[in-house]
Amino acid sequence: MIQATPIEESAIEFSGYANANGSVGVRTHLLILNLTGLTEMAARRASAVLPGSVLVSFPYGMGMVGDDLAASVRLLSGLARHPNAGAIVLVSADRTRLDQISAALADDGRPNQAFCLDAVGHDALALSHRIASAGARLMRVASASRRKPFASGSLCLGVECGLSDPTSGIAANRLIGAVTDRVLAAGGTVILGETLEWLGVEDELTVRAMKPEVAKAIKEAVTRREALALDNGVDLTGINPNRRNIEEGLSTIEEKASGAIAKSGTAPIEGVLAHGEAPSGPGLWLMDQPSYSPESLTGFAAAGAQLALFSTGSGNSYTSALMPTIKITANSETAQSLGTQIDFDCSALMSGADLNTAAAELMEHISSVASGMLTFGEILGEGAEVFSRFGEAL
Amino acid sequence: MTVRALCLAPGDDVAILLTAVAAGERVHLSGGDGHLMSRTEIPRNHKIALRDLPNGALVQRDGLIIGQSTEVIARGSHVHVHNLRSLRARPANEATK
């Protein structure tokens, strides 16, 4: 049994999996990673006969170029190496792509197998059979891994918000920020993304940059994202904040952003990552990426985050397939009405409850989930991964 | 029932209502014994103006400028998208005066 952690002590323990590649997992999934749209249904059939397997499917093909291609390969390679996979099956209609992503697993050490459609004479049903047959064996091996204790410094968290309302910025995101500070103090890693939600608060972020280049990268990321809206004649009001955010009381992107960055706590910022790029060391990292939660979470997963902390105001059912996603709300009505969605109710903060006490409780909850306690998203099978595209294909 | 509003930072132009109010209700402000009267109906978690704001005023919430007023806003009024707009992603010809 994990003891309640005194507020002063940042290092909670959890029981995780020591992967052969040196990473620490909080789950030991069989990951079926499909690399081409053509083979998606074959991979999906195989996944359906292997309950508990996690299917992550890339729905596009081979015509990508430039930054779009680089981002796709980065995302797929990162997901293939995800710490919560105990074994990995790669599936592809294209041998070049299969070889490219297999390379990411060359020195990995975890059981893995790669399947190409041409090896079964382009028979998709035969491909499903091969994947399911190999997957069954790999899943059995993965499930034999035993958990062992780790300190919270072994955690990499992605911090996210979705369908925010004013309680998110005032309470839930501040609580996530307090937990971020604790995990970082223990030597862990935290990633904050959703670049659009740095608009209007970039000065709050740049003053925390470790180096001038980092401050410059933050500014450039914000300018690029703002130019994307301007160049396309987009009025952010109604998009971010969206209609639901506005109904709940958020008026402008600046207001939403000031609440969103509270998730990052107070630590210095190590650097700005590309979408899906793994941090080069522990600490607090920003990820320059789209602000839509499904895309954003997949960026964190590809970067190697084992868990996501996800605050919501009105409720948001989406979770990552690979990272257990802890749903947190400070809206008492949402906590009551969404009893099988909200994992952690911190609405007492809105009526003056102590932030440090709540942070210690959330740390303990994180420890439980990292040690195997299921999130509602896992229980209900809400998880998915979504791939961003950054340009036209050939 | 006491209506309360959260003042997030000193010098803010708006506070956050913890319960919905009708026009003409007495609203107690957190962090002291200050109060004001609501001038309009305001939903829960929405913003109430703590002072009279001229048209074009930069509006501060939690110590940060969150946008600019688009009309005169009287103390006690609802502050939201009908009278406040973002300063960001605005074409140069309609940016801050």
Side-chain angles (χ1 to χ4, degrees), chain A residues 167 170-172 175 328-333 335 344-355 357-358 361, chain B residues 4 6 18:
Chain A
T167 69
I170 293 167
L175 173 62
I328 299 163
T329 193
N331 183 323
S332 54
E333 290 177 6
F344 193 89
D345 172 7
C346 64
S347 56
L349 290 172
M350 289 300 291
S351 36
D354 177 54
L355 185 67
T357 306
E361 287 166 2
Chain B
R4 288 203 307 126
L6 278 180
L18 291 174

Side-chain angles (χ1 to χ4, degrees), chain B residues 63-83:
Chain B
L64 287 164
I65 302 299
I66 60 163
Q68 189 175 30
S69 61
T70 56
E71 58 185 42
V72 173
I73 303 175
R75 173 178 155 91
S77 305
H78 187 200
V79 178
H80 201 24
V81 288
H82 61 286
N83 56 16

